[in-house]
């Protein structure tokens, strides 16, 4: 919905391209710093901080003119704080998994990510039609705030594991290949995961969800 927002705001094709590039570039540049920090302070805390700052930047963008260079800087920061959330969530889940479960968990993450994209786009489009183009940032802020509230609630339900027990942060793309290319998972473990029956995988995930 980024290009739709930029077009509705009257940006030229060049400016639309710059706007989207800044969002993607921010996500690229923030991946490793956020991952490194999550290794130090914990995945959940990093997710909470990313969401609260991302929501704050979204609200701040309401009052910034698209002609102001600060607008594109904020777009980069917003992309940097929101796009790495997939990798942070993947790293958090994998901290509780054995290598055999990681492939199946990667598939579940892809499904949830795709479901969110399928629901979020028409919801944002409807909000933009009803309230104007700036509802684009409002929807992002609302979605980040909802993740923030859920993550904060989970922090009160179960203490996070120590840094020694957690694996190293790995940048992940929302595709099934991300889990199979993880250097911490051997070929034998991938093959073992593909041979598991549906009931075994379902039981494994029910046990996992209860422990997260």
């Amino acid at each position: 919905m980024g290009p739709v927002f930029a077009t509705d705001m009257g940006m030229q094709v060049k400016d639309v391209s710059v706007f989207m590039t800044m969002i993607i570039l921010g996500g690229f540049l923030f991946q490793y710093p956020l991952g490194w920090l999550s290794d130090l302070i914990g995945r959940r805390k990093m997710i909470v901080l990313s969401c609260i700052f991302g929501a704050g930047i979204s609200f701040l963008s309401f009052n910034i003119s698209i002609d102001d260079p600060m607008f594109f800087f904020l777009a980069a920061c917003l992309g940097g704080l929101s796009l790495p959330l997939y990798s942070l969530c993947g790293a958090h889940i994998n901290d509780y998994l054995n290598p055999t479960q990681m492939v199946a968990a990667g598939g579940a993450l892809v499904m949830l990510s795709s479901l969110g994209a399928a629901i979020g786009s028409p919801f944002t489009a409807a909000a933009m039609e009803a309230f104007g183009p700036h509802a684009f940032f409002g929807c992002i802020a609302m979605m980040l705030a909802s993740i923030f509230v859920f993550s904060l609630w989970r922090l009160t339900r179960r203490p996070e594991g120590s840094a020694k027990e957690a694996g190293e942060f790995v940048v992940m793309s929302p595709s099934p290949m991300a889990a199979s290319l993880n250097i911490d998972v051997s070929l034998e473990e991938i093959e073992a995961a593909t041979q598991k029956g549906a009931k075994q995988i379902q039981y494994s995930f029910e046990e996992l969800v209860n422990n997260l």
Side-chain angles (χ1 to χ4, degrees), residues 38-119:
S38 75
D39 288 335
L40 295 179
I41 68 174
R43 316 295 188 203
R44 289 177 185 166
K45 292 178 182 176
M46 196 66 251
I47 291 171
V48 166
L49 290 175
S50 295
C51 289
I52 193 63
F53 282 111
I57 288 175
S58 296
F59 282 118
L60 187 61
S61 300
F62 274 97
N63 300 318
I64 303 295
S65 170
I66 61 173
D67 297 322
D68 190 336
M70 181 59 68
F71 175 81
F72 294 96
F73 173 75
L74 291 176
C77 291
L78 181 59
L81 291 167
S82 58
L83 295 182
L85 284 174
Y86 181 91
S87 297
L88 290 172
C89 292
H92 171 59
I93 290 176
N94 287 337
D95 286 341
Y96 294 88
L97 298 175
N98 60 56
T100 305
Q101 295 173 311
M102 289 181 181
V103 177
L109 273 178
V110 172
M111 182 185 68
L112 289 174
S113 176
S114 301
L115 183 63
I119 296 174

Side-chain angles (χ1 to χ4, degrees), residues 129-158:
E129 184 174 357
F131 303 106
H134 277 98
F136 171 74
F137 290 114
C139 289
I140 294 176
M142 185 176 66
M143 292 173 190
L144 290 175
S146 64
I147 299 173
F148 163 75
V149 171
F150 177 77
S151 301
L152 205 60
W153 174 72
R154 289 304 303 170
L155 280 171
T156 66
R157 304 299 297 174
R158 183 174 190 244

